[in-house]
Amino acid sequence: MSGGNAGEANERNGGNAGEGSGGYGGNGIEVEGLVREFKKGPRAVDGIDLRVKPGEIYGFLGPNGAGKSTTVHMLTTLLPPTAGTARVAGHDIIKEGPAVRDAIGVALQEAALDPFLTAHEHMRLQAGMHGIPKAEARRRGERLIERVGLSEAADRKVGGYSGGMKRRLDLALALVHEPRILFLDEPTTGLDVQSRTALWDEVGRLASSHGVTVFLTTQYLEEADALADRVGIIDDGRIVAEGTPDVLKAEIGRPTVEAAPAEADALERMGAVLERFGQRSPAPQGSAAVRLDAGTGELAEVVRALDAAKIRVANLEIHAPTLDDVFLAKTGKHLEGSADSAAPPTGELEALPA
Amino acid sequence: MSQIGYLAQRSLTRTLRQPAVVVSSMIFPLFLLAVNASGLSAATDLPDFPTDSYLTFALGLTFMQGALFATMGAGQAIAQDIQGGFFNRLQLTPLRGPALIVGQLSGVALQGAFQAVTYLLVGIAFGADLEAGIAGALLLLALAMLVAVAFGSLGLALGLRTGNGEAVQGAFPLLFVLLFLSSGALPRDLIANDWFQAITTVNPVSYIIEAFRSLLISGWDGEALALGFGCALAVLAAGTFAATAALRTRMART
C-alpha cells in the first residue's frame, strides 16, 4: 500500500471549495428522523438523527440487527426510507438519488464481487459504469489496485482471493470515481487482525490525506475506538449515545476492577467483598468484577479489604471503561462477542493493533 | 464503450470462464438426441413422416432444448447477482436498466451460438441432413441465438422477480413441459390424440422447433421460418417486457 498522491487530494479539496452556506453541504451527512419499516417485523430504523462533518470518520456501532445496514442502504439510496429525510453530500437521498450516488463510494457488507472476474476486470467494469474514459480508468485502476496491495494478484480471478483481499478490492472499487464520502458497511467483519489493521490504515489515510468523509458501520468496539472520530451507538433502530469515543467513555467514567482468587472456593467471598466497592459486572470464569463507584482511587482500599478477608489474590486487573461499558450503560446489554461472560474483557484489548 | 458494452463483456467473460456449465448444458440435449434417434427411429415408418432420418427430425428439438438451458443460465446469473450483492454494486453506479438486460442477454446469445454450432456439427457427423445448405446453417444459427435470447429474457424476468437461484431452477420442469407438449417428438399432423394435437398447435415452441426442422429437412420453407422467427420474437417481446417490469420493482433505488 503506497501512499496516496497529493495531486489527488488537492483535486478533491478543490472540488469541495466554495461550499458551505449552512449545513454540511459538500461532503457531509445530515440525517433527520430517518425511519424504515419492513412489512413484517419491527421498525428496523426508528427515527435516527445524526450529522457527520466533512472529512470526519463516523463510526456507527451496534450489534447485529440493530439497524446499521438498513441505515446505510437508505443513505446510499438503495432503500427508500419510510419517513424522515437525509442529505448526503448536500443532496436529498429521496429526490436526488443519482447525485447522491455520484458523490459517494460504497463498500457493502457482502464485498460483492464476481468470482469469475479478475481485479482488473472489476475495475474496468466499475469505471466503465461510471462513464470514466478508458485511459483514465486504467490509470486510476492501476493506482488504486497498487494502493490496496493487490498489484500481484490483479490478473487472478477473484474467486481465489482471501477475505481480506476481497475487502481491499471492494474498497478500491468504491474509490474509482473519486467519491467525497465513503460508506463502509462492516468492512472488517470476518477478517483476521492483520487484514483488519491494514484496512484501518487505508481508511484512516483516505480521511486524513484525501479529505474523504467516512461513514463506517461496525460491531467491533475496537474498530470504532481505533478509527472513528465520532461514534454513534445504535440499538434497536435508535441512536442511544453519540460522541467521540473518549467523551463517551468519560461519561461512563468508572473503571472496572477484576480479581481472581488463588483458591477457587474463595470466589464467592471475593465477590461479596468487591461488591462493597461498586456494582457487579460480568467477568470471565474464576474471576469477579465490579465497576468502581469511586474510580481508581479506591483500588488500594479494595486490596486492603481482600487482604482483611484473608483472600489470596491470584490476579488483579483494572480496566478503563470501554465502548462496551458505554453500550451496557445505555442499553443494559453487551455488544455481541464483546465482554460477555464467554470472553474475557481483556480480549478486545488484545485485538488492538500493536 | 457504453454500459451495454461493459455489461455484455462481463456476461460473455463469465460464460467463457464456466466451461463446465456450458458443456453440461450441451451434453444433456445431445444425450436425449442419441436416445430419441435410436429409440424412436421406427416413427419414420409412419405414413407421411417427413423424413426417413429420425436423427434429422429429432435434431430440431435439440436446438430448442439448448435454448431452455440458456433460460436457466440467464435467470440464475441475475439471481446470483442479486443474492450476492453484485446487483447492488451495479445499482450504485449510474446503471441504466435496459443496459443491464441487454448486457446479460448477450452472454446468453453467445452460449446459444456455441450450443447450436455443437448440435449441428454433431448431428451432421452422425448423418443428419441439412437441406438448406450453408446459408441455411447460418440462418439456423441466427434462429438458435434468437431463441436463446428470447427464452433467456424469460429466465431473466424470473430471476429478477424472485431474486433466488433455487426458484429459477424450480421453474425448469415447467419449461420442459412446454417442450413435451409440443411437436418435438412427432409432426403435428401425425399426432392422433385430439387434445394433444390441440395443445401442440397453440404451443409456440412447436413452431420454433418446426422452423429448425424445416431448414434441416425441407430446405427453405418461408411459412415455417416466418412462424418460427415470429414465435421467437413474440417470446422475446413478452420476456423483455416482463424482465423490464421486474427490474423496475427490483431497482428500488431512489
Side-chain angles (χ1 to χ4, degrees):
Chain A
M1 298 199 190
S2 73
N5 75 46
E8 193 181 323
N10 291 339
E11 205 175 288
R12 191 185 316 281
N13 291 334
N16 295 333
E19 312 254 340
S21 49
Y24 287 149
N27 45 2
I29 302 170
E30 295 163 289
V31 179
E32 267 175 51
L34 207 61
V35 172
R36 177 66 204 193
E37 279 171 358
F38 289 105
K39 275 181 194 154
K40 295 169 195 161
R43 285 184 165 193
V45 173
D46 192 8
I48 278 181
D49 300 289
L50 62 87
R51 286 161 86 85
V52 181
K53 283 179 276 188
E56 186 174 45
I57 300 183
Y58 187 89
F60 209 38
L61 174 69
N64 274 329
K68 303 188 298 288
S69 290
T70 307
T71 305
V72 168
H73 277 78
M74 286 192 282
L75 294 181
T76 57
T77 78
L78 288 175
L79 187 69
T82 310
T85 62
R87 295 182 83 77
V88 171
H91 301 289
D92 187 301
I93 58 163
I94 301 163
K95 297 187 195 114
E96 300 171 276
V100 172
R101 286 191 291 275
D102 200 40
I104 62 173
V106 184
L108 291 176
Q109 212 167 6
E110 311 95 347
L113 302 165
D114 186 331
F116 299 104
L117 300 188
T118 67
H120 273 139
E121 286 163 347
H122 273 93
M123 200 55 90
R124 213 173 298 143
L125 174 66
Q126 187 89 11
M129 295 303 292
H130 278 287
I132 300 165
K134 266 189 175 175
E136 174 64 13
R138 197 172 307 127
R139 194 177 65 78
R140 286 191 204 175
E142 290 293 343
R143 196 181 60 213
L144 286 168
I145 284 174
E146 191 198 332
R147 199 204 279 175
V148 297
L150 288 174
S151 294
E152 277 180 30
D155 286 316
R156 288 197 341 240
K157 279 185 268 179
V158 164
Y161 279 21
S162 70
M165 291 163 83
K166 285 181 186 166
R167 296 292 183 145
R168 280 183 280 149
L169 175 58
D170 198 16
L171 177 64
L173 291 172
L175 295 170
V176 74
H177 59 298
E178 301 188 334
R180 314 198 299 264
I181 302 178
L182 190 60
F183 285 88
L184 303 173
D185 195 5
E186 301 205 5
T188 65
T189 297
L191 295 192
D192 57 63
V193 176
Q194 234 176 348
S195 305
R196 190 179 292 183
T197 315
L199 214 104
W200 288 352
D201 288 346
E202 188 52 40
V203 173
R205 183 155 44 232
L206 277 166
S208 61
S209 58
H210 297 260
V212 176
T213 309
V214 180
F215 186 98
L216 159 120
T217 77
T218 181
Q219 47 180 322
Y220 298 130
L221 304 156
E222 64 271 26
E223 184 155 277
D225 223 345
L227 206 50
D229 299 318
R230 233 151 34 88
V231 174
I233 297 181
I234 180 171
D235 185 47
D236 284 338
R238 290 167 180 272
I239 293 185
V240 294
E242 198 183 37
T244 68
D246 287 343
V247 166
L248 284 174
K249 285 184 281 189
E251 269 177 27
I252 301 303
R254 294 169 298 159
T256 303
V257 66
E258 178 193 311
E263 290 90 23
D265 56 4
L267 183 61
E268 208 170 311
R269 283 194 299 128
M270 176 179 258
V273 171
L274 289 179
E275 267 174 24
R276 285 190 245 148
F277 298 91
Q279 204 188 346
R280 279 294 274 269
S281 67
Q285 207 159 16
S287 299
V290 294
R291 196 177 304 284
L292 292 174
D293 284 337
T296 43
E298 251 176 349
L299 195 57
E301 288 294 326
V302 172
V303 174
R304 274 196 284 272
L306 289 171
D307 197 39
K310 302 214 171 355
I311 300 169
R312 289 207 300 137
V313 177
N315 185 35
L316 187 83
E317 291 172 32
I318 187 133
H319 299 299
T322 66
L323 284 175
D324 186 48
D325 297 320
V326 178
F327 191 80
L328 178 68
K330 298 288 183 184
T331 68
K333 292 181 288 189
H334 279 287
L335 269 165
E336 282 163 54
S338 62
D340 254 347
S341 52
T346 46
E348 71 207 33
L349 296 175
E350 281 161 11
L352 275 171
Chain B
M1 197 156 65
S2 66
Q3 287 193 349
I4 292 178
Y6 285 105
L7 290 166
Q9 192 175 38
R10 172 186 175 228
S11 179
L12 299 178
T13 309
R14 273 178 69 90
T15 305
L16 291 172
R17 290 197 185 150
Q18 299 180 79
V21 174
V22 179
V23 169
S24 65
S25 68
M26 280 182 189
I27 286 178
F28 182 75
L30 285 175
F31 177 73
L32 212 67
L33 174 68
V35 170
N36 282 347
S38 57
L40 299 175
S41 58
T44 53
D45 297 336
L46 287 170
D48 298 329
F49 198 84
T51 166
D52 54 8
S53 159
Y54 195 83
L55 174 69
T56 308
F57 184 82
L59 195 54
L61 178 68
T62 307
F63 289 109
M64 189 60 227
Q65 269 174 354
L68 292 193
F69 276 99
T71 310
M72 291 300 107
Q76 281 180 314
I78 196 75
Q80 274 167 15
D81 276 355
I82 292 168
Q83 282 174 308
F86 203 88
F87 183 75
N88 273 342
R89 170 183 299 290
L90 294 175
Q91 271 206 90
L92 284 162
T93 70
L95 166 75
R96 286 185 304 275
L100 180 68
I101 291 178
V102 177
Q104 293 286 118
L105 289 179
S106 45
V108 178
L110 179 75
Q111 191 180 345
F114 272 138
Q115 287 172 336
V117 168
T118 308
Y119 300 151
L120 193 61
L121 291 178
V122 170
I124 288 172
F126 283 90
D129 305 320
L130 176 56
E131 207 57 38
I134 299 289
L138 292 176
L139 193 65
L140 192 146
L141 191 64
L143 181 59
M145 287 172 75
L146 174 65
V147 173
V149 169
F151 281 85
S153 68
L154 284 181
L156 200 56
L158 194 63
L160 282 165
R161 180 67 68 195
T162 62
N164 182 320
E166 285 79 32
V168 174
Q169 202 150 27
F172 197 43
L174 290 178
L175 283 171
F176 249 78
V177 169
L178 272 185
L179 211 61
F180 289 120
L181 293 179
S182 75
S183 56
L186 274 179
R188 259 182 299 140
D189 50 5
L190 293 186
I191 295 173
N193 186 309
D194 283 347
W195 69 262
F196 190 46
Q197 193 180 38
I199 291 177
T200 57
T201 306
V202 294
N203 183 353
V205 169
S206 295
Y207 299 97
I208 295 173
I209 293 173
E210 285 162 21
F212 280 123
R213 208 176 267 158
S214 74
L215 290 167
L216 299 168
I217 296 174
S218 49
W220 295 89
D221 177 343
E223 191 188 339
L225 289 173
L227 280 169
F229 273 93
C231 285
L233 285 170
V235 172
L236 179 62
T240 313
F241 179 78
T244 309
L247 181 63
R248 207 171 297 132
T249 314
R250 180 64 63 184
M251 279 175 83
R253 70 181 186 185
T254 59

